[in-house]
Amino acid sequence: MTNLLIAITLCVAVSIAYAVAALIQARFAHLTVAQLVRVPVLWLAIGLNALGAALHVASLNFGPLSLIQPLGALTLVIAVPLAALTAKRRPTRLEMTGMTYTVVGLTGLALIITTTGKADTLTSGELIWLVVATVVVVAGLALLGRRPGASTLWEAIAGGIAFSVCSALCQTIVVTVGDGGAGVLLRPITIFAAIAVGTFAIVATILTQRSYRDGLSAPLAVTNLVNPASATIIGVVLLGETLATTGVEIALAVICGFLCCLGVAQLARARDAAPTAAPAPPLEDAPAGV
């Protein structure tokens, strides 16, 4: 029971860290990358994201993934009311119903779509193939998001994919080092994997940051959906895992997926209908330390 309470406490802390980081990022989502690096508070958001990732890893030592993965939906539960609070208004009905549908759908998918089998590490060929494929897919989605008038959800999808690939590469590095010792870190393929992790983490952060420029809730929901979904695909296709789902469970997963789509659609509508907090002032006009 003690381990379970620790796991739940850590998951709540993870969700708070991610939610606050997302709110900070959303405030400065209109700035360019060159401007962002000069905003001190944005480094706090990056630190909170890193803290959330570290706490997530720690939580896996105290509870099963089947419990921890669904609790990831708490990020949205915390972020939507916080976004409304910082805008000095109440959450709208569309926001609340959209959040509810999305959280129920995400939780259902996390509980239903499970994998079995001991996950393998990526072979050198698989690792290179995964990195190249990710670069192509993420770049394509990012370009779609940069078109005039394009939905910011394209960048949210790209960010979610990049984050999930980071997780897969990190798993391979950690397991390989654990099996072969620290000397494995000097292998060219391990160095390549580590560089890819750093690059994808930066790209994912920038893409999710940009996806918040027209509102936080819908992009955050999409990223929270795409990240575990693509991680599951990687696990099944490349890491030797198998789906532990029956026909009935697949049907229920389809329903949960529909709820997620409905929730995201409502959050997108709420973003367009509800007043949003004013973005931070241009960097040259911002007070020092903002």
Side-chain angles (χ1 to χ4, degrees), residues 73-268:
L74 286 174
T75 299
L76 194 61
V77 176
I78 295 169
V80 170
L82 270 181
L85 181 63
T86 55
K88 298 181 180 179
R89 61 176 177 82
R90 292 182 178 180
T92 66
R93 183 176 178 181
L94 270 177
E95 285 175 324
M96 295 305 295
T97 56
M99 180 188 70
T100 301
Y101 285 143
T102 306
V103 168
V104 170
L106 278 171
T107 304
L109 286 173
L111 291 172
I112 295 169
I113 304 299
T114 58
T115 57
T116 59
K118 185 179 183 299
D120 298 325
T121 58
L122 295 165
T123 65
S124 296
E126 289 172 339
L127 193 151
I128 293 171
W129 180 91
L130 178 61
V131 169
V132 171
T134 302
V135 169
V136 172
V137 172
V138 169
L141 291 170
L143 288 174
L144 285 175
R146 292 186 68 88
R147 295 177 304 166
S151 171
T152 59
L153 298 186
W154 290 115
E155 288 157 316
I157 294 172
I161 292 173
F163 275 131
S164 68
V165 173
C166 278
S167 298
L169 295 176
C170 282
Q171 174 181 307
T172 291
I173 294 172
V174 170
V175 173
T176 302
V177 170
D179 293 341
V184 174
L185 293 172
L186 299 178
R187 294 179 183 173
I189 191 64
T190 308
I191 296 173
F192 174 75
I195 293 173
V197 167
T199 302
F200 285 144
I202 294 171
V203 169
T205 300
I206 293 172
L207 287 170
T208 52
Q209 169 95 19
R210 281 185 51 80
S211 73
Y212 299 150
R213 64 187 180 275
D214 291 334
L216 172 65
S217 303
L220 183 61
V222 168
T223 300
N224 276 299
L225 174 61
V226 171
N227 190 338
S230 51
T232 299
I233 293 172
I234 292 170
V236 172
V237 175
L238 296 177
L239 296 177
E241 300 177 4
T242 56
L243 283 177
T245 50
T246 64
V248 174
E249 289 171 336
I250 291 175
L252 290 174
V254 171
I255 295 174
C256 290
F258 173 77
L259 285 176
C260 285
C261 293
L262 180 61
V264 170
Q266 292 208 344
L267 289 171

Side-chain angles (χ1 to χ4, degrees), residues 17-18 20-26 28 33 36-54 163 198 201-206 208-209:
Y18 283 154
V20 174
L23 286 173
I24 295 173
Q25 289 179 278
F28 297 96
V33 175
L36 287 173
V37 297
R38 296 163 53 199
V39 180
V41 75
L42 189 68
W43 292 99
L44 172 61
I46 293 173
L48 286 171
N49 279 321
L51 175 63
F163 275 131
I202 294 171
V203 169
T205 300
I206 293 172
T208 52
Q209 169 95 19

